[in-house]
Amino acid sequence: METGKVVVERVGGKSAAIHCYSKYPLKFIIPNKVGPSQIDAVWIYTITYGGGIVSGDAIKCDISVGDGCTTVLTTQASTKVYKSVESKCSEQVLEARIGSDALLAVIPDPVTCFSTAKYSQTQVFKVFPSSSLLIVDWITSGRYGRGEKWDFELYKSTNNIFLDADEPLFLDTILLEQGRYSSIAERMQDYQVIAMVILLGPKLKFIQDQIQENVKNLMSQQLRIPSGSSGRYGDIDDNPFLTRPSFLASCSVFGQKGRGVVVRIAAMTTESVYSFLQCQLSGLDSLLGVAPYR
């Protein structure tokens, strides 16, 4: 059963939320205007009662963006997932339909799972060839200041994009689970954040080209081997000339004729990811009214 639903259509030549429904534990906030008056975009903020997702919560959202509309789905703070009680898993499901010449930007703050938490989210997007879609999906190691470093039991995030309702365009799942022989913290080592950014469609083409070039240049600097090294990699912990990069990113295309771009990130600080997103997505203020992660 749906926990929330928003429908955005063009009314009087402008994007407008014509239907908005939510029930406990979910609530939507839709400001009258975000950014300059000439910008045509509906901003939707999702919040949960109690300031986070409680063990056993099941939230299902449905978002429909009509032809020619622009919609932003975001949060006011990080999504906190509280500890699991009786091994219950918290779940969130988002199903979104983006019409022709429409743009949906899903730009939340990161998920932060508390110790022993179990959390699974699934996001399904249905697009047309002229639809545009931005997704930012990221998670921190937890309450690092309290000593909780990758201390949750389970995190699973699935993002699926379908073209013309049923043709798979992008299928992806990230799974972090405590193992019998190694913990998540051991596998993640010094990295405190992992993130994924997906850009798809004609309205985001200029950002796609820019971010591919920027990631290439950034990584060529980060991964440059110091001149004093022997040129042999070996174990990074035993080589005084090599240090583990504080920020790693990769970029690749997907879909026919490379219509989409996906960026994957691992970083040692949340601040560095915020800075990266601010820089790379700053050009979107002309479409969204306000640049993401300002």
Side-chain angles (χ1 to χ4, degrees), residues 9-11 26 31 45 48 134 136 160 189 200 206 248 255 282:
E9 294 287 351
R10 293 194 70 77
V11 177
L26 179 68
Y45 290 84
T48 51
L134 166 64
V136 178
N160 293 337
Q189 299 197 22
L200 172 69
F206 72 106
L248 288 171
S282 60

Side-chain angles (χ1 to χ4, degrees), residues 104-120:
L104 173 63
V106 181
I107 49 173
D109 290 288
V111 172
T112 298
C113 293
F114 290 17
S115 177
T116 75
K118 290 185 175 182
Y119 176 70
S120 174

Side-chain angles (χ1 to χ4, degrees), residues 134-147:
L134 166 64
I135 306 169
V136 178
D137 184 15
W138 52 323
I139 179 175
T140 71
S141 62
R143 296 184 294 179
Y144 184 79
R146 297 194 178 192

Side-chain angles (χ1 to χ4, degrees), residues 227-268:
S227 58
S229 70
S230 64
R232 300 179 65 182
Y233 291 92
D235 189 336
I236 193 170
D237 296 318
D238 297 330
N239 192 323
F241 295 103
L242 298 179
T243 58
R244 185 173 285 109
S246 61
F247 186 96
L248 288 171
S250 66
C251 191
S252 57
V253 299
F254 65 88
Q256 188 178 22
K257 297 181 180 179
R259 70 168 66 209
V261 169
V262 56
V263 182
R264 300 182 189 275
I265 300 165
M268 293 185 183

